Amino acid sequence: MSVILAILIIILISKSEFTGSNYNRNYLSRDTTATVNGIFVMLVFLSHYYPYIGTPGEYDQAYAALRVHLNQAEVVTFLFYSGYGIMESIKRKGFSYVQKLPQKALQLLFRFDTAVLLYLILDVFILHNGFVKDLKTVLLALLTWTSVGNSNWYITAVLCLYLLTFIAFLPIAKKDSPLMQNICTILLILFTMATVYVQMKLHRPNYCYNTMIMFPLGIVYSLHRQSIEKVLLHSEITFYCSFLLTVGLYCYSIGERLQSIEMYTLWIIAFMAAVVLLTMIIDVRSKFFLWLGNHVFSIYILQRIPMHILSHYGYTRSHKYFSLVLAFLSTVFIALLFEKATDWVINKLSEKRNSA
């Protein structure tokens, strides 16, 4: 696994460029954020594959250490950039975009439920885990609350955040101004904190909620980007002092991150701040990671299908590297077919709705 990680690092740095004090002004462009997300969705893929290999070997230790270190930070950029992008759209399109958020949530749920059906088919014909016999589990899985072998918690979080954003930003229907946008953002932060609290009281696993706050913080960054850049990019001294402060907060919080939600939040904020600062001075470029970043959902939600199959027949333990490559290529193939099929259905439904 460490060898694969080294190859991925080489792929990344071979095309990236250090801009230094010239700064990369496109650090939040669609291509840059997609490339960064592509890096992390690949790390998610490796993280999900790792338990299938059984006993780690000598050449797995470096990756294993990184996996433990990253914890849930692998999904932080997805949430932060998503919040940032939604706020950018609200600033351009106003309430008309806010009105589309429930529709976006329904489309996401449709795609997710389609994937769940694929996992159920897998269970019936290959794995025989008995999920189909448990109707309650299946129904809750379709609502993202439980799993039938698929990843689910992240989709639960995103659906909640879409709907919370819709509710929080309803006031801009009457008055859309920078002040109102900030008030709505404060409401969203409070709603998100309340959602986290409820999940804690329901004794949901920590990973289900401990990164959700990054979504509204992406919205905050969108609203105050110019002011933040004015401080950070004022001089090299202010930039690198900010970077050192970020590293200090990261080191301070990492030892205590699992002890409380407050310290975990501080840690992931420092992590995301480090990513933002690094992309200001490093222009990350990679067609490979850019492609992955443009297909995050399908890669994320479907990757366990080939992993389950290969593990079921014992290949992930006996041929772990071959199985890793095969699982990845299979995921890409399935993802492309899945996207074409679900896009076709969504487009057809949209055409019917518009013509009605």
Side-chain angles (χ1 to χ4, degrees):
M1 296 290 285
S2 301
V3 174
I4 300 296
L5 180 63
I7 292 172
L8 294 174
I9 292 172
I10 292 170
I11 291 173
L12 178 64
I13 64 177
S14 65
K15 296 296 182 180
S16 298
E17 179 183 351
F18 178 73
T19 59
S21 57
N22 291 324
Y23 301 116
N24 173 28
R25 301 287 177 172
N26 295 318
Y27 71 101
L28 285 172
S29 68
R30 187 178 295 274
D31 280 359
T32 298
T33 56
T35 301
V36 174
N37 280 343
I39 296 167
F40 284 103
V41 81
M42 191 67 215
L43 289 174
V44 169
F45 181 90
L46 294 178
S47 181
H48 285 173
Y49 179 80
Y50 185 73
Y52 291 99
I53 69 174
T55 304
E58 179 183 353
Y59 296 106
D60 298 322
Q61 300 307 314
Y63 169 73
L66 176 66
R67 182 174 183 265
V68 171
H69 178 83
L70 285 176
N71 198 261
Q72 288 300 103
E74 292 173 342
V75 302
V76 164
T77 63
F78 304 159
L79 292 165
F80 182 86
Y81 288 150
S82 181
Y84 175 86
I86 282 179
M87 191 63 236
E88 289 293 297
S89 295
I90 292 174
K91 287 193 297 186
R92 289 195 308 270
K93 302 175 183 178
F95 187 66
S96 63
Y97 185 81
V98 175
Q99 289 177 297
K100 293 180 180 179
L101 288 174
Q103 180 182 332
K104 286 173 64 70
L106 285 174
Q107 289 178 355
L108 176 61
L109 183 60
F110 167 74
R111 295 179 193 275
F112 175 81
D113 285 347
T114 303
V116 169
L117 293 177
L118 293 177
Y119 280 90
L120 290 172
I121 292 170
L122 175 67
D123 179 59
V124 170
F125 293 103
I126 298 178
L127 304 181
H128 311 296
N129 289 322
F131 288 122
V132 178
K133 298 177 183 177
D134 187 350
L135 182 60
K136 181 180 177 181
T137 298
V138 172
L139 292 176
L140 289 175
L142 291 170
L143 294 173
T144 77
W145 196 250
T146 59
S147 169
V148 289
N150 57 288
S151 301
N152 67 304
W153 74 266
Y154 178 77
I155 308 303
T156 309
V158 172
L159 288 172
C160 286
L161 289 165
Y162 279 177
L163 295 177
L164 292 176
T165 304
F166 171 72
I167 296 169
F169 278 82
L170 284 175
I172 70 169
K174 293 188 177 295
K175 183 179 181 181
D176 189 359
S177 66
L179 175 60
M180 184 56 71
Q181 290 173 358
N182 278 283
I183 291 173
C184 292
T185 301
I186 293 171
L187 285 175
L188 176 59
I189 292 172
L190 294 175
F191 291 162
T192 303
M193 292 172 66
T195 303
V196 168
Y197 179 77
V198 168
Q199 293 195 69
M200 291 173 71
K201 287 301 180 182
L202 291 174
H203 303 292
R204 294 276 283 171
N206 295 345
Y207 59 77
C208 292
Y209 55 78
N210 59 13
T211 54
M212 286 181 67
I213 195 65
M214 296 311 299
F215 182 91
L217 291 184
I219 289 178
V220 171
Y221 198 92
S222 171
L223 288 171
H224 300 284
R225 175 180 175 178
Q226 289 185 343
S227 299
I228 294 170
E229 289 181 351
K230 189 174 181 180
V231 174
L232 291 177
L233 307 182
H234 176 70
S235 67
E236 287 190 65
I237 293 176
T238 57
F239 179 85
Y240 286 106
C241 283
S242 299
F243 188 80
L244 288 174
L245 176 62
T246 299
V247 172
L249 288 174
Y250 187 92
C251 294
Y252 169 74
S253 57
I254 193 168
E256 303 294 327
R257 62 180 175 168
L258 300 181
Q259 304 305 313
S260 69
I261 188 66
E262 293 81 9
M263 291 303 291
Y264 200 92
T265 300
L266 180 60
W267 175 66
I268 59 173
I269 289 174
F271 181 89
M272 190 65 228
V275 172
V276 169
L277 290 169
L278 285 172
T279 52
M280 283 182 174
I281 57 173
I282 301 174
D283 186 5
V284 287
R285 300 175 187 171
S286 167
K287 290 183 179 179
F288 174 71
F289 288 118
L290 176 60
W291 188 90
L292 290 178
N294 285 325
H295 302 271
V296 166
F297 174 80
S298 53
I299 296 292
Y300 169 80
I301 205 64
L302 298 170
Q303 58 188 241
R304 289 187 184 273
I305 291 177
M307 291 180 190
H308 284 323
I309 294 172
L310 290 167
S311 176
H312 179 75
Y313 290 108
Y315 292 120
T316 55
R317 290 174 181 264
S318 60
H319 302 86
K320 62 183 179 182
Y321 288 112
F322 172 77
S323 295
L324 173 63
V325 174
L326 184 57
F328 177 74
L329 294 176
S330 300
T331 299
V332 169
F333 178 72
I334 298 169
L336 290 173
L337 294 179
F338 177 85
E339 288 177 1
K340 284 185 178 297
T342 53
D343 285 347
W344 183 84
V345 173
I346 289 172
N347 290 335
K348 287 295 181 182
L349 291 174
S350 298
E351 288 174 7
K352 284 188 177 181
R353 187 176 63 251
N354 292 333
S355 61

